[in-house]
Amino acid sequence: MRLVFLGPPGAGKGTQTRLLARRLGLAQIATGDMLRANLARGTELGKEAQAYMLRGELVPDVVVIAMIEEGLDSIADGFVMDGFPRTVGQAQALDALLEQRATPLDAVVLFKIERSVLVSRLSARWTNPRTGRTYNTLTSPPAVAGLCDEDGGPLVQREDDRRETVVKRLEVYDLQTEPVVHYYRRSGKLVEIDAVGSVEAVADRLATAIGIEHARK
Ligand code: AP5
């Protein structure tokens, strides 16, 4: 199964990507995580991306498309893309890359959610940078504050989750990523889910939308 998850920052794409990928044995492709990993390693790519990310802007298409292309051959059998594509240029590039490989997308899932929920979700988000597992101090806190339940590693807050940067990221979503929603709607691949509610409730809706049963197994 080849899927793309679309939706504004904080909609829960990353949370559902990790659950579904684990459950179905799919590769996870999260461009935000890939860029942050480059940043942490101090690579040239990471240095180039840093300023854009801190401002809440998109990293140039050419950088992220190259990053996706590099890994695509090894994962074309099944994947969930979280955070890519985010511009129509990226969507067209992805279509071309998948067409070359005769591995088209099965579905694009749009996570629908009101703006008011997003800022509070993001300001309460804590992440294990080693595994990408996220917590929310309001709705799903770790058992011990500041430490990951899975490996005991320290949890951190993302620099771009500051309120003013979140507002900017939402503006960027409206301007540059909303057109991607229309692009996939026209292609007939778009399915929409209500992303409000518990993580389990959203996982159930997602499973129904993509035709998978028994999501909680
Ligand atoms: P990226 O890392 O992709 O961030 P994003 O798209 O803004 O999405 P988020 O990770 O903020 O939110 P999410 O929807 O994954 O929510 P999550 O599951 O974590 O991108 C960061 C930056 O990198 C960009 O700004 C850009 O600069 C750059 N970039 C990345 N990709 C790019 C691209 N393709 N092109 C150009 N630039 C790119 O959940 C959020 C919180 O809510 C968590 O605390 C979670 O525990 C909680 N939560 C989740 N689900 C629920 C629920 N159902 N109920 C209650 N709480 C929930």
Side-chain angles (χ1 to χ4, degrees):
M1 189 167 249
R2 289 177 290 273
L3 301 167
V4 162
F5 286 178
L6 271 183
K13 308 176 299 292
T15 302
Q16 297 297 333
T17 296
R18 277 182 287 282
L19 290 175
L20 190 72
R22 191 183 306 164
R23 188 173 155 238
L24 299 183
L26 301 172
Q28 298 176 44
I29 308 171
T31 39
D33 290 346
M34 291 159 90
L35 291 167
R36 280 185 290 278
N38 273 280
L39 212 87
R41 291 201 308 273
T43 68
E44 282 308 311
L45 195 156
K47 285 178 198 153
E48 189 180 348
Q50 184 173 31
Y52 295 98
M53 295 173 81
L54 285 178
R55 288 196 299 265
E57 294 171 6
L58 295 186
V59 176
D61 279 1
V62 63
V63 175
V64 281
I65 291 168
M67 214 167 63
I68 289 288
E69 186 170 9
E70 204 181 290
L72 205 54
D73 284 329
S74 54
I75 47 93
D77 280 348
F79 57 74
V80 187
M81 287 193 178
D82 159 24
F84 182 91
R86 268 168 135 104
T87 65
V88 171
Q90 291 179 19
Q92 289 167 335
L94 178 62
D95 275 353
L97 289 169
L98 294 177
E99 203 174 299
Q100 283 164 18
R101 291 159 177 79
T103 54
L105 290 174
D106 293 298
V108 176
V109 182
L110 174 63
F111 286 59
K112 292 178 67 180
I113 190 161
E114 302 106 55
R115 290 296 149 101
S116 54
V117 183
L118 298 175
V119 180
S120 68
R121 267 197 191 179
L122 290 175
S123 52
R125 170 166 61 185
W126 288 77
T127 309
N128 179 339
R130 208 184 65 75
T131 62
R133 162 101 191 246
T134 56
Y135 296 85
N136 192 288
T137 49
L138 301 175
T139 55
S140 53
V144 179
L147 296 179
C148 181
D149 292 351
E150 281 172 7
D151 68 0
L155 302 175
V156 298
Q157 279 198 293
R158 273 170 49 177
E159 283 195 56
D160 61 348
D161 280 347
R162 280 176 305 147
R163 191 182 177 83
E164 61 274 22
T165 315
V166 169
V167 170
K168 175 69 183 172
R169 284 160 63 199
L170 289 169
E171 280 171 21
V172 167
Y173 178 83
D174 288 341
L175 275 174
Q176 294 183 265
T177 309
E178 266 298 327
V180 179
V181 174
H182 302 299
Y183 176 89
Y184 283 122
R185 189 171 281 132
R186 279 196 298 276
S187 78
K189 298 222 160 141
L190 193 76
V191 292
E192 305 187 20
I193 61 166
D194 178 1
V196 182
S198 68
V199 169
E200 294 75 20
V202 176
D204 284 350
R205 285 180 214 134
L206 172 63
T208 304
I210 61 173
I212 293 171
E213 287 176 22
H214 309 303
R216 294 184 194 210
K217 268 192 188 167

